[in-house]
């Protein structure tokens, strides 16, 4: 009984850390996107990295965005899997969240490959961005919890 409740406490703590991580991610991307767009005013909540980002050129910032996107997708996916595994202790539920992230990754990869093959990636960037935005947010976790 104690072990079961401690798993739930760890899950809640991990969810709290994940939400805080998503907030930091959002702020970082607001900073980067403002610089890329050439805005005079940055609408970020706080400016941890603004000077460092401002010193980079557009190509570096774009590469950094893709690197950070991959990193945050990984962090959120692993956190979601661990939360579901600790909370429910059910292989079926854990498998559901894993398959959700694999499905998002495969769909994103397929869309990217198709748009890249036809040299229309820039026209479909918004779609890829929305899909990756879903992957590095807690939404798949919340949707899986509703489904479970």
């Amino acid at each position: 009984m104690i072990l079961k409740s401690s798993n739930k406490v760890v899950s809640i703590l991990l969810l709290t850390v994940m939400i805080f991580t998503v907030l930091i991610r959002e702020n970082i991307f607001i900073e980067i996107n403002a610089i890329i767009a050439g805005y005079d005013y940055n609408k970020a909540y706080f400016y941890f990295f603004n000077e460092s980002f401002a010193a980079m050129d557009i190509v570096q910032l774009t590469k950094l965005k893709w690197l950070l996107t991959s990193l945050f997708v990984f962090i959120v996916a692993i956190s979601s899997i661990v939360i579901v595994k600790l909370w429910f202790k059910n292989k079926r539920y854990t498998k559901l969240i894993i398959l959700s992230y694999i499905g998002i990754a495969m769909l994103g990869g397929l869309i990217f490959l198709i748009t890249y093959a036809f040299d229309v990636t820039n026209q479909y960037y918004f779609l890829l961005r929305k899909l990756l935005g879903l992957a590095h947010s807690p939404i798949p976790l919340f949707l899986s919890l509703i489904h479970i």
Side-chain angles (χ1 to χ4, degrees):
M1 181 69 172
I2 293 173
L3 182 60
K4 193 172 188 173
S5 63
S6 69
N7 284 342
K8 294 199 186 243
V9 169
V10 170
S11 294
I12 290 168
L13 289 172
L14 187 55
L15 178 62
T16 303
V17 168
M18 182 173 69
I19 290 172
F20 180 71
T21 301
V22 170
L23 173 67
I24 298 294
R25 181 211 60 81
E26 180 67 18
N27 192 82
I28 289 171
F29 279 77
I30 288 171
E31 288 183 75
I32 292 173
N33 289 334
I35 295 167
I36 289 174
Y39 293 151
D40 293 330
Y41 177 71
N42 185 335
K43 297 178 183 177
Y45 309 110
F46 30 82
Y47 305 99
F48 292 140
F49 307 104
N50 198 50
E51 289 182 27
S52 299
F53 294 155
M56 296 178 165
D57 63 36
I58 302 299
V59 172
Q60 290 173 317
L61 286 171
T62 303
K63 288 179 183 177
L64 179 62
K65 273 180 61 171
W66 284 109
L67 176 69
L68 290 174
T69 296
S70 301
L71 177 66
F72 283 113
V73 166
F74 179 76
I75 290 169
V76 170
I78 295 299
S79 298
S80 297
I81 292 164
V82 171
I83 289 168
V84 168
K85 186 174 181 134
L86 288 174
W87 190 272
F88 294 104
K89 293 282 190 192
N90 183 309
K91 288 182 181 180
R92 185 173 148 246
Y93 297 159
T94 305
K95 187 176 180 179
L96 176 68
I97 193 72
I98 291 170
L99 290 175
S100 297
Y101 278 102
I102 289 172
I104 291 168
M106 289 178 68
L107 181 60
L110 180 64
I111 291 169
F112 175 77
L113 288 175
I114 290 169
T115 60
Y116 186 79
F118 291 101
D119 198 28
V120 292
T121 306
N122 287 338
Q123 289 92 331
Y124 290 92
Y125 172 78
F126 71 95
L127 180 61
L128 288 167
R129 171 65 190 96
K130 294 296 180 191
L131 194 58
L132 289 173
L134 175 67
H136 58 76
S137 77
I139 293 173
L141 172 64
F142 296 153
L143 290 176
S144 69
L145 293 176
I146 291 169
H147 184 311
I148 293 171

